[in-house]
Amino acid sequence: MNVFARRRAGHGISVILARLILGGVFVYASLYKIMAPEEFAAVIFNYRLAPAWLVNPAAIILPWLEFWLGALVISGIWLRASVIMINIFLAIFMAAIGFNLWRGLDFNCGCFSNAAGHPAAWLTLARDGILLLMGGLILASPVVRAAPDQA
Amino acid sequence: MPDAEKKPFLARTWVQMVLIYLLSLASGVLINWWRPLSLPWVFQADKTAEPGNASGRAEVGLPYLLEALRRDDVAVIDAREEPFYRFGHIPGAVNVPPDSLERELPALLEAIPAHYEIIVYCSDRFCPMAENVILRLASVNRPARLFSPGYIGWEEAGHKIEVSP
């Protein structure tokens, strides 16, 4: 195997790992919210950013969006579209958390559970930043860019 | 990728994004419709009000519950789903998840003496399960009060929790 083939193979493995981690985190994060949308509605409300009319529809739909995006990224189906959506999702989420931290609001991030005891912190932002980088890595990979039938 | 191939490629990505959104929308709507206690599409703003407000519900706060727990004529009901109850609940609370309310209601009514005060809670003031139990109890002439801060309020205040194996 020459140096270019090795590099491609290594890149492939890192992309698969990134897909598994990113997709796994999204699927895992969605489960509790799917089970208890009323609690997730309270979490969304406590962000104090969404208008009241949007709170419950978001609590019903967003967990499923998380679930399907995670499942699609793991399976590799519609990879490009799902990773783009995950990155948009993460960017909005980071902006919301950052804004609330900046204005000093003490709130539950609702990342993996709706329960209190998971307050949003700068660490949450850093974690989402890492996930965003993983999304970027997948999008930049030749597998996604050069194989439209797979993406 | 040549420019000629780029356009359909991008269009296909857009279509897939819309389809993923529609799939999520359909899943959310269907599962919410199928759940025994569907989340209403309109957020109930009155639930954000403080206890004892214009909503007129018999709500109690933390000091009241702490005082009530010292008595032995109080029954506390945890209306959340069973896994959450097992992770942690207010000490002495009995779990009556929404799915098993009808099944467990006769035994529950038998177990709680008529002169007992019943206090019901779920996760926090926003979740509807406790209200559902209260309404059902009211229908059999057993008034109950809502502990509006819920389990989250209890835990946040640093009070002892009980974990079930």
Side-chain angles (χ1 to χ4, degrees), chain A residues 32 34-39 42 45-46 52 55-57 59-61 64-65 68-69 72 78 80-82 84-85 88 114-116 144-145 148-149 151, chain B residues 1 9-10 12-13 16-17 19-21 23-25 27-29 31-32 35 39-43 48 80 83-84 123-124 126-129 152 155-156:
Chain A
Y32 191 102
I34 287 172
M35 285 167 70
E38 61 283 337
E39 293 182 15
F45 179 78
N46 285 333
V55 169
N56 281 10
I60 291 167
I61 298 161
W64 282 102
L65 191 58
W68 286 118
L69 287 174
L72 288 170
W78 296 354
R80 184 186 168 90
S82 48
I84 288 174
M85 286 181 83
I88 293 170
N114 301 324
V144 173
R145 283 192 305 170
D149 289 333
Chain B
M1 191 187 300
F9 182 35
L10 288 176
R12 187 160 47 226
T13 304
Q16 288 169 357
M17 285 165 70
L19 286 175
I20 293 170
Y21 175 77
L23 179 66
S24 309
L25 179 69
S27 309
V29 169
I31 297 295
N32 190 52
R35 277 162 51 92
L39 184 69
W41 283 90
V42 180
F43 188 69
T48 61
R80 296 174 302 158
F84 306 124
S123 304
D124 57 20
F126 302 104
C127 90
M129 286 103 86
I152 290 175
E155 194 193 31
E156 272 181 347

Side-chain angles (χ1 to χ4, degrees), chain B residues 82-151:
Chain B
E82 196 245 342
F84 306 124
Y85 173 82
R86 277 196 285 114
F87 286 142
H89 54 263
I90 294 175
V94 179
N95 186 214
V96 183
D99 296 348
S100 59
L101 175 62
E102 289 308 318
R103 198 174 59 245
E104 290 184 14
L105 191 64
L108 186 73
L109 293 172
E110 208 173 314
I112 303 174
H115 68 281
Y116 268 43
E117 178 181 6
I118 304 174
I119 298 175
V120 189
Y121 72 91
C122 51
S123 304
D124 57 20
R125 68 178 63 219
F126 302 104
C127 90
M129 286 103 86
E131 271 198 354
N132 210 53
V133 173
I134 291 170
L135 288 172
R136 189 68 185 88
L137 287 170
S139 72
V140 290
N141 212 18
R142 290 298 298 270
R145 292 173 194 268
L146 173 73
F147 172 56
S148 53
Y151 176 72

